[in-house]
Amino acid sequence: MQSNNSRDRENHSSSSSGNHSHSVTMSMREKEKYIETFNFPFCDLTSKYEKVFKIGQGTFGEVFKARDKSNPKKFVAMKKVLMDNEKEGFPITALREIRILQLLKHENVVNLIEICRTQASQHNRYRSTFYLVFDFCEHDLAGLLSNVLVKFSLGEIKKVVQQLLNGLYYIHSNKILHRDMKAANVLITKNGVLKLADFGLARAFSTNKSGMPNRQVIALPLNCRCFYSVVSRFTNRVVTLWYRPPELLLGERNYGPPVDLWGAGCIMAEMWTRSPIMQGNSEQQQLTLISQLCGSITPQVWPGVENLELYKKMELPQRQKRKVKERLTPYLKDPYACDLLDKLLVLDPLKRADADTALNHDFFWTDPMPCDLGKMLANHTQSMFEFLAPSRRAATQMRHQSMPRPTTSAVQDSGYQDRVF
Amino acid sequence: MKDVIDVMELQREKSRKIIPVDYKQLEFSGGFTPARFIFECGIKLGAQPLTLATSAVIMHRFFREVDPANYDCFLIAASSLYLAGKVKDDPLKIRDIINVAHNTLHRGSSPLEIGDEYWNMRDAIVQAELLIMRILKFEVNTTHPHKYMLHYLKSMEGWLGKEQWESVPVAKASAAFLQDFHHDPSILDYNPRHIAVACISLALQCYGVQLPLIEDTDDETWYNVFIKDLPKDKHWEIMEKVMETYNREPDTS
């Protein structure tokens, strides 16, 4: 194996000591020309799109709104793949996101159109940058909620939550965990269609017979190594702090779909409260806030919690009464809404409602029935993203001066870029 | 097409001892050589079998899209391994891949010093990975025959009965046929379920195992209980392809 046969690369030719006879000899200029003009039939150039402006910061890069040059009415969102560690090649996290997005095709999941590359030229040392290209969505939920002029009727809220749960039902049926539920990752098109977005932390999971996900699975009496799967322990450093469920805060590594449903509950409550309901500034404070809302975390309400890694290390407020309905009724008013939230914000992940159960809740099947958001959104011609919302951004940044950012972090990427949100 | 599979050919005593091949002397051989290189390096690296299968599939798909003469097949093989490790969440360290690949190509040589040659090779692998992904449209998910094979075998365990199941290594042979079939790019041409069945059939024939309660006739075959869409001639075709793979093996005796 020798290096100078891969011609799609910057060449360090002079020192190659390979002894293959079939190496191709080209001058430096010829090589550059070769790279510049190399034709990738399945990977178009980003120049087919024209950037409009920046709309956000994803797990591994910036996101831009862009116009399709061949169809000026069509807009896309372009998410840059950060290649922070060039020596390790394409980031495994980005690859995971791409594979998951290729698998998930659903009305309520953001649609990946293609992956584009920038032209390799001397300006980028003959190395392309990659962009994921998505269908453009006009708003994100955090942006909409931070705008006081946007008012949701009960029917419209039902439609949002229903679509959110529909999306979760779909991804969980496909054995994918989102792991980063929050209002800013819930996109809404101008026609009122909700799309789950940012699968930068998403992962596949497996379920064994007892329904507990992510445990060692297949060990059949077939003496072939072929059929054994690897035990993988997930990191618990996922999900933005304010939306992080108690089991992750207590160090659970064998978690599953309930982590996303906790987030869905937080988002649902936010539809009325208009700001995240539990804004802790540390994992400890987040657990305190959760205990104050959902009651004390004890082995009585949550059998097995005492075995979690951090159960003894964290300070857990005792004798707290569960006040989910009590605290939220002033905002929600609708008793069905309170009841559904009460079933989503459950401490014990095994008792937390799953997406299917939640979708069957009376909340969605009583008057006023879920109704289309398109008409309401038609009153707002301005795109609303959390990233662009001055009030919400400023508020969060002020908070950030005195405390760590409530961002998602994953231990596997050391060169992790904090997001603006 | 032959209507008998010559299982004797498979059983013929091949020299058991595997003599290390000198890869530098081998031709591309329709993808067999880089596949063999992938399996040798991957096993040395302790990669999972599905990682190896993914790697071979990525490599074969790449060479379907390009002119193999333009690329160093061992570079592409090493890069496919690196990429497959990421795809299967079975990460292989690039440093390990370089050392193993280098030592497999230049047997007996000492590991590369950290120097120009090492960095060139590392850069080449990383850049080839990006090249492969673009050529494959970033579609690196594969549906493997393995999961189907597992289920078919699991059902057969009860069908054959514990005693006979334990007396013949049907599962092991089936899995071996499946893994070895990844040396041939024709693995890309067939439905994964069909491949799983054909490998099991071959194993059954090798060991002369008859499944109880089933008469293999023209319109009824053992695998009809699992799949309905595999015509007999296609079944034979895949079995022959699996066997042909063994003929491509360089003569090392």
Side-chain angles (χ1 to χ4, degrees):
Chain A
M1 182 170 62
Q2 97 188 55
S3 51
N4 60 357
N5 272 2
S6 162
R7 292 178 292 173
D8 178 46
R9 53 181 289 271
E10 186 187 12
N11 200 281
H12 301 265
S13 58
S14 56
S15 60
S16 180
S17 54
N19 55 1
H20 284 227
S21 52
H22 56 275
S23 26
V24 185
T25 18
M26 286 195 226
S27 75
M28 199 59 161
R29 186 64 215 124
E30 282 168 335
K31 279 169 186 163
E32 288 167 359
K33 187 84 193 142
Y34 179 87
I35 295 168
E36 273 173 46
T37 55
F38 195 97
N39 178 37
F40 289 98
F42 303 124
C43 186
D44 290 342
L45 285 168
T46 47
S47 55
K48 73 196 262 196
Y49 300 106
E50 181 187 4
K51 278 183 190 168
V52 183
F53 52 78
K54 184 168 166 177
I55 51 175
Q57 188 90 26
T59 319
F60 60 78
E62 300 164 304
V63 187
F64 294 90
K65 177 179 179 174
R67 182 185 280 114
D68 187 344
K69 285 183 187 164
S70 67
N71 177 8
K73 284 197 184 119
K74 186 174 163 53
F75 289 96
V76 296
M78 297 177 70
K79 182 169 168 178
K80 188 177 180 174
V81 177
L82 266 191
M83 302 274 270
D84 37 69
N85 197 346
E86 233 172 50
K87 296 274 169 283
E88 302 294 336
F90 201 76
I92 188 167
T93 44
L95 185 62
R96 207 182 267 159
E97 176 167 11
I98 291 169
R99 285 169 44 235
I100 287 170
L101 288 164
Q102 285 168 341
L103 174 80
L104 301 174
K105 293 291 166 205
H106 187 268
E107 157 107 274
N108 298 125
V109 174
V110 71
N111 178 45
L112 176 68
I113 303 169
E114 62 178 334
I115 295 153
C116 283
R117 66 193 161 95
T118 57
Q119 173 73 58
S121 70
Q122 71 187 89
H123 303 293
N124 52 26
R125 292 158 50 242
Y126 296 93
R127 286 163 200 266
S128 293
T129 312
F130 297 95
Y131 283 85
L132 311 193
V133 182
F134 297 94
D135 283 336
F136 182 71
C137 299
E138 283 71 14
H139 314 284
D140 73 38
L141 194 53
L144 287 173
L145 290 174
S146 66
N147 186 334
V148 286
L149 300 175
V150 180
K151 295 191 168 65
F152 292 95
S153 70
L154 183 55
E156 285 160 354
I157 291 180
K158 288 186 183 186
K159 187 73 178 180
V160 169
V161 181
Q162 190 178 44
Q163 294 185 79
L164 180 68
L165 291 166
N166 248 329
L168 283 182
Y169 176 78
Y170 173 78
I171 69 165
H172 292 162
S173 317
N174 281 284
K175 300 272 180 269
I176 299 293
L177 300 178
H178 185 281
R179 303 204 301 181
D180 197 11
M181 292 294 287
K182 59 175 166 181
N185 284 343
V186 174
L187 307 183
I188 309 235
T189 69
K190 64 173 190 295
N191 301 319
V193 180
L194 177 147
K195 312 269 182 192
L196 292 178
D198 198 344
F199 286 76
L201 288 173
R203 271 205 72 146
F205 68 94
S206 46
T207 328
N208 71 5
K209 280 195 185 113
S210 67
M212 278 305 288
N214 191 30
R215 291 268 157 83
Q216 166 63 322
V217 244
I218 311 165
L220 286 157
L222 294 165
N223 50 353
C224 315
R225 205 172 144 253
C226 230
F227 299 122
Y228 295 112
S229 66
V230 216
V231 198
S232 54
R233 272 161 53 90
F234 291 169
T235 169
N236 65 328
R237 305 275 302 154
V238 286
V239 190
T240 305
L241 186 59
W242 297 344
Y243 299 84
R244 203 179 292 167
E247 65 268 30
L248 291 184
L249 291 164
L250 290 172
E252 174 68 274
R253 285 165 178 277
N254 290 314
Y255 52 83
V259 298
D260 290 339
L261 282 134
W262 178 272
C266 296
I267 294 170
M268 176 177 165
E270 211 172 320
M271 293 300 299
W272 286 274
T273 62
R274 292 284 180 149
S275 60
I277 55 167
M278 290 178 281
Q279 307 186 12
N281 58 23
S282 64
E283 305 191 354
Q284 175 59 61
Q285 200 197 355
Q286 193 67 24
L287 275 168
T288 308
L289 291 173
I290 290 174
S291 304
Q292 284 163 359
L293 180 68
C294 303
S296 293
I297 298 172
T298 62
Q300 281 76 51
V301 296
W302 180 355
V305 68
E306 67 276 16
N307 302 324
L308 292 181
E309 209 175 305
L310 302 176
Y311 177 73
K312 291 206 170 62
K313 297 196 182 112
M314 295 300 228
E315 209 172 294
L316 298 175
Q318 296 303 301
R319 289 186 298 279
Q320 295 289 324
K321 259 182 55 202
R322 186 172 171 85
K323 303 184 207 87
V324 174
K325 285 191 176 176
E326 203 180 313
R327 287 255 310 271
L328 291 171
T329 305
Y331 296 97
L332 274 65
K333 303 197 175 65
D334 183 75
Y336 293 112
C338 287
D339 189 68
L340 175 55
L341 260 178
D342 193 42
K343 292 185 160 67
L344 290 171
L345 296 177
V346 169
L347 293 171
D348 182 350
L350 286 177
K351 296 189 194 117
R352 204 172 296 150
D354 63 15
D356 188 39
T357 314
L359 283 166
N360 285 325
H361 193 276
D362 287 344
F363 178 60
F364 301 109
W365 306 98
T366 46
D367 281 331
M369 289 293 279
C371 76
D372 210 72
L373 295 118
K375 234 171 130 189
M376 181 274 281
L377 290 172
N379 299 324
H380 304 279
T381 47
Q382 181 88 43
S383 222
M384 278 167 268
F385 291 106
E386 179 174 50
F387 181 73
L388 303 172
S391 59
R392 194 159 159 136
R393 235 185 125 190
T396 323
Q397 275 174 353
M398 280 229 307
R399 206 187 307 276
H400 287 166
Q401 287 169 358
S402 55
M403 58 179 81
R405 291 167 166 229
T407 52
T408 340
S409 59
V411 280
Q412 67 265 33
D413 17 82
S414 44
Y416 185 77
Q417 290 287 111
D418 250 355
R419 17 175 129 179
V420 173
F421 261 88
Chain B
M1 179 174 310
K2 292 181 289 183
D3 48 357
V4 231
I5 291 280
D6 184 5
V7 290
M8 287 306 287
E9 194 182 7
L10 282 178
Q11 290 169 336
R12 202 173 298 138
E13 199 55 36
K14 286 217 167 186
S15 83
R16 281 278 160 210
K17 219 173 136 211
I18 296 166
I19 297 157
V21 294
D22 182 0
Y23 285 101
K24 287 173 302 208
Q25 305 301 319
L26 298 179
E27 297 292 311
F28 176 68
S29 184
F32 184 95
T33 304
R36 177 158 181 157
F37 185 72
I38 284 174
F39 281 100
E40 180 171 347
C41 293
I43 289 164
K44 288 175 177 171
L45 287 160
Q48 295 291 316
L50 282 181
T51 308
L52 298 180
T54 303
S55 172
V57 167
I58 288 173
M59 181 276 295
H60 287 309
R61 282 182 56 208
F62 177 81
F63 283 118
R64 280 241 165 130
E65 298 290 341
V66 301
D67 177 358
N70 284 342
Y71 297 90
D72 181 305
C73 72
F74 303 115
L75 169 64
I76 298 300
S79 228
S80 304
L81 256 176
Y82 187 45
L83 178 55
K86 292 180 183 178
V87 172
K88 286 290 172 192
D89 274 314
D90 175 22
L92 303 170
K93 287 208 183 78
I94 192 161
R95 177 88 216 245
D96 296 341
I97 292 182
I98 291 171
N99 284 341
V100 167
H102 185 259
N103 195 270
T104 306
L105 281 177
H106 311 278
R107 295 189 194 276
S109 71
S110 53
L112 277 181
E113 297 282 327
I114 303 281
D116 277 353
E117 196 183 355
Y118 171 82
W119 286 111
N120 282 348
M121 202 184 250
R122 180 160 182 154
D123 191 51
I125 290 178
V126 162
Q127 293 302 315
E129 178 192 59
L130 295 177
L131 172 70
I132 293 169
M133 276 195 292
R134 272 175 281 183
I135 296 285
L136 300 186
K137 208 179 170 183
F138 288 83
E139 285 166 5
V140 287
N141 288 328
T142 338
T143 310
H144 295 287
H146 301 67
K147 61 177 177 187
Y148 300 107
M149 177 180 274
L150 174 67
H151 284 280
Y152 302 154
L153 288 173
K154 192 69 193 133
S155 312
M156 285 172 69
E157 186 180 3
W159 187 357
L160 264 177
K162 197 172 180 342
E163 201 177 317
Q164 202 185 355
W165 181 258
E166 279 169 5
S167 66
V168 271
V170 171
K172 209 169 179 172
S174 308
F177 287 138
L178 177 55
Q179 172 142 321
D180 290 344
F181 190 34
H182 283 80
H183 286 76
D184 192 310
S186 60
I187 186 97
L188 306 177
D189 300 332
Y190 302 101
N191 181 320
R193 275 182 237 102
H194 297 174
I195 295 173
V197 161
C199 291
I200 299 173
S201 282
L202 210 49
L204 292 174
Q205 298 219 14
C206 276
Y207 291 97
V209 176
Q210 265 294 314
L211 287 161
L213 310 171
I214 191 114
E215 287 287 326
D216 270 354
T217 59
D218 277 343
D219 36 47
E220 178 80 321
T221 52
W222 69 269
Y223 54 80
N224 281 150
V225 294
F226 299 122
I227 48 172
K228 297 277 182 225
D229 60 344
L230 175 57
K232 261 197 153 167
D233 51 346
K234 180 140 246 171
H235 181 229
W236 282 104
E237 186 185 313
I238 304 174
M239 284 163 71
E240 283 185 344
K241 290 272 186 195
V242 175
M243 289 190 35
E244 275 168 29
T245 310
Y246 294 91
N247 297 332
R248 296 212 192 178
E249 206 177 0
D251 197 16
T252 52
S253 51

Short mmCIF file of all heavy atoms in Angstrom, two decimals, chain B residues 3-23:
data_model
loop_
_atom_site.label_atom_id
_atom_site.label_comp_id
_atom_site.label_asym_id
_atom_site.label_seq_id
_atom_site.Cartn_x
_atom_site.Cartn_y
_atom_site.Cartn_z
N ASP B 3 -26.85 -29.50 -12.52
CA ASP B 3 -27.93 -29.70 -11.55
C ASP B 3 -27.48 -30.46 -10.33
O ASP B 3 -28.27 -30.83 -9.49
CB ASP B 3 -29.17 -30.34 -12.20
CG ASP B 3 -28.81 -31.53 -13.03
OD1 ASP B 3 -27.60 -31.81 -13.14
OD2 ASP B 3 -29.72 -32.18 -13.56
N VAL B 4 -26.19 -30.69 -10.25
CA VAL B 4 -25.67 -31.25 -9.01
C VAL B 4 -24.57 -30.32 -8.51
O VAL B 4 -23.81 -29.78 -9.31
CB VAL B 4 -24.98 -32.64 -9.20
CG1 VAL B 4 -25.53 -33.64 -8.23
CG2 VAL B 4 -25.02 -33.09 -10.64
N ILE B 5 -24.55 -30.14 -7.24
CA ILE B 5 -23.45 -29.37 -6.68
C ILE B 5 -22.40 -30.38 -6.23
O ILE B 5 -22.71 -31.34 -5.52
CB ILE B 5 -23.94 -28.54 -5.47
CG1 ILE B 5 -24.88 -27.43 -5.93
CG2 ILE B 5 -22.78 -27.99 -4.67
CD1 ILE B 5 -24.21 -26.20 -6.48
N ASP B 6 -21.19 -30.17 -6.73
CA ASP B 6 -20.15 -31.13 -6.42
C ASP B 6 -19.58 -30.84 -5.04
O ASP B 6 -18.61 -30.12 -4.88
CB ASP B 6 -19.06 -31.04 -7.49
CG ASP B 6 -17.99 -32.09 -7.28
OD1 ASP B 6 -18.14 -32.94 -6.36
OD2 ASP B 6 -16.99 -32.06 -8.02
N VAL B 7 -20.25 -31.42 -4.04
CA VAL B 7 -19.79 -31.13 -2.69
C VAL B 7 -18.46 -31.80 -2.40
O VAL B 7 -17.70 -31.37 -1.56
CB VAL B 7 -20.82 -31.54 -1.60
CG1 VAL B 7 -22.02 -30.64 -1.66
CG2 VAL B 7 -21.20 -32.98 -1.72
N MET B 8 -18.18 -32.85 -3.17
CA MET B 8 -16.91 -33.54 -2.97
C MET B 8 -15.76 -32.55 -3.18
O MET B 8 -14.74 -32.58 -2.50
CB MET B 8 -16.76 -34.70 -3.95
CG MET B 8 -17.66 -35.88 -3.62
SD MET B 8 -17.43 -36.46 -1.94
CE MET B 8 -15.83 -37.26 -2.11
N GLU B 9 -15.98 -31.66 -4.13
CA GLU B 9 -14.93 -30.71 -4.43
C GLU B 9 -14.58 -29.86 -3.20
O GLU B 9 -13.43 -29.51 -2.96
CB GLU B 9 -15.38 -29.82 -5.59
CG GLU B 9 -14.24 -29.04 -6.20
CD GLU B 9 -14.72 -28.11 -7.31
OE1 GLU B 9 -15.94 -27.98 -7.51
OE2 GLU B 9 -13.86 -27.53 -7.97
N LEU B 10 -15.64 -29.53 -2.47
CA LEU B 10 -15.42 -28.71 -1.28
C LEU B 10 -14.72 -29.48 -0.19
O LEU B 10 -13.98 -28.94 0.61
CB LEU B 10 -16.76 -28.20 -0.73
CG LEU B 10 -17.38 -27.04 -1.46
CD1 LEU B 10 -18.72 -26.71 -0.81
CD2 LEU B 10 -16.47 -25.83 -1.43
N GLN B 11 -15.02 -30.79 -0.18
CA GLN B 11 -14.48 -31.59 0.91
C GLN B 11 -13.06 -32.04 0.63
O GLN B 11 -12.36 -32.47 1.53
CB GLN B 11 -15.36 -32.82 1.15
CG GLN B 11 -16.71 -32.45 1.73
CD GLN B 11 -17.68 -33.60 1.71
OE1 GLN B 11 -17.53 -34.52 0.92
NE2 GLN B 11 -18.67 -33.54 2.58
N ARG B 12 -12.68 -31.94 -0.66
CA ARG B 12 -11.36 -32.42 -1.03
C ARG B 12 -10.32 -31.79 -0.12
O ARG B 12 -10.33 -30.59 0.12
CB ARG B 12 -11.06 -32.08 -2.50
CG ARG B 12 -10.00 -32.97 -3.10
CD ARG B 12 -9.88 -32.70 -4.59
NE ARG B 12 -11.14 -33.01 -5.29
CZ ARG B 12 -11.65 -32.23 -6.25
NH1 ARG B 12 -11.05 -31.11 -6.59
NH2 ARG B 12 -12.77 -32.57 -6.86
N GLU B 13 -9.48 -32.62 0.32
CA GLU B 13 -8.51 -32.17 1.32
C GLU B 13 -7.65 -31.03 0.78
O GLU B 13 -6.81 -31.21 -0.07
CB GLU B 13 -7.64 -33.36 1.74
CG GLU B 13 -6.92 -33.18 3.06
CD GLU B 13 -7.86 -32.83 4.21
OE1 GLU B 13 -9.00 -33.36 4.23
OE2 GLU B 13 -7.45 -32.04 5.06
N LYS B 14 -7.96 -29.83 1.24
CA LYS B 14 -7.07 -28.72 0.88
C LYS B 14 -5.99 -28.71 1.93
O LYS B 14 -6.21 -29.10 3.08
CB LYS B 14 -7.84 -27.41 0.92
CG LYS B 14 -8.77 -27.24 -0.25
CD LYS B 14 -8.80 -25.79 -0.69
CE LYS B 14 -9.50 -25.71 -2.04
NZ LYS B 14 -9.46 -24.39 -2.61
N SER B 15 -4.85 -28.24 1.58
CA SER B 15 -3.80 -28.25 2.58
C SER B 15 -4.26 -27.39 3.74
O SER B 15 -4.60 -26.23 3.58
CB SER B 15 -2.49 -27.74 2.00
OG SER B 15 -2.46 -26.35 2.03
N ARG B 16 -4.31 -27.95 4.89
CA ARG B 16 -4.87 -27.30 6.07
C ARG B 16 -4.05 -26.10 6.49
O ARG B 16 -4.56 -25.12 7.00
CB ARG B 16 -4.94 -28.30 7.23
CG ARG B 16 -6.11 -29.24 7.12
CD ARG B 16 -7.38 -28.58 7.65
NE ARG B 16 -8.53 -29.28 7.12
CZ ARG B 16 -9.71 -28.72 6.88
NH1 ARG B 16 -9.86 -27.44 7.10
NH2 ARG B 16 -10.70 -29.40 6.41
N LYS B 17 -2.75 -26.25 6.27
CA LYS B 17 -1.87 -25.19 6.72
C LYS B 17 -2.03 -23.99 5.80
O LYS B 17 -1.95 -24.12 4.58
CB LYS B 17 -0.42 -25.69 6.70
CG LYS B 17 0.36 -25.19 7.89
CD LYS B 17 1.74 -25.84 7.92
CE LYS B 17 2.78 -24.77 8.23
NZ LYS B 17 4.07 -25.04 7.62
N ILE B 18 -2.28 -22.86 6.38
CA ILE B 18 -2.41 -21.68 5.55
C ILE B 18 -1.04 -21.00 5.44
O ILE B 18 -0.48 -20.56 6.43
CB ILE B 18 -3.47 -20.71 6.11
CG1 ILE B 18 -4.83 -21.41 6.06
CG2 ILE B 18 -3.50 -19.43 5.30
CD1 ILE B 18 -5.90 -20.73 6.86
N ILE B 19 -0.56 -21.01 4.21
CA ILE B 19 0.74 -20.39 4.01
C ILE B 19 0.52 -18.91 3.71
O ILE B 19 -0.34 -18.56 2.92
CB ILE B 19 1.47 -21.09 2.83
CG1 ILE B 19 1.73 -22.56 3.22
CG2 ILE B 19 2.76 -20.37 2.50
CD1 ILE B 19 1.90 -23.46 2.04
N PRO B 20 1.24 -18.05 4.38
CA PRO B 20 1.04 -16.61 4.15
C PRO B 20 1.27 -16.26 2.69
O PRO B 20 2.24 -16.70 2.09
CB PRO B 20 2.11 -15.96 5.04
CG PRO B 20 2.56 -17.00 5.98
CD PRO B 20 2.33 -18.32 5.32
N VAL B 21 0.34 -15.49 2.14
CA VAL B 21 0.51 -15.12 0.73
C VAL B 21 1.31 -13.83 0.66
O VAL B 21 1.30 -13.02 1.58
CB VAL B 21 -0.85 -14.91 0.03
CG1 VAL B 21 -1.60 -16.21 -0.07
CG2 VAL B 21 -1.68 -13.85 0.72
N ASP B 22 1.99 -13.67 -0.45
CA ASP B 22 2.70 -12.42 -0.69
C ASP B 22 1.79 -11.54 -1.54
O ASP B 22 1.68 -11.72 -2.76
CB ASP B 22 4.02 -12.69 -1.41
CG ASP B 22 4.80 -11.41 -1.62
OD1 ASP B 22 4.30 -10.33 -1.21
OD2 ASP B 22 5.90 -11.48 -2.19
N TYR B 23 1.08 -10.65 -0.88
CA TYR B 23 0.07 -9.85 -1.57
C TYR B 23 0.64 -9.07 -2.74
O TYR B 23 -0.03 -8.85 -3.73
CB TYR B 23 -0.61 -8.89 -0.57
CG TYR B 23 -1.58 -9.59 0.34
CD1 TYR B 23 -1.23 -9.90 1.64
CD2 TYR B 23 -2.85 -9.94 -0.12
CE1 TYR B 23 -2.13 -10.55 2.48
CE2 TYR B 23 -3.75 -10.59 0.71
CZ TYR B 23 -3.39 -10.90 2.02
OH TYR B 23 -4.27 -11.53 2.84
#
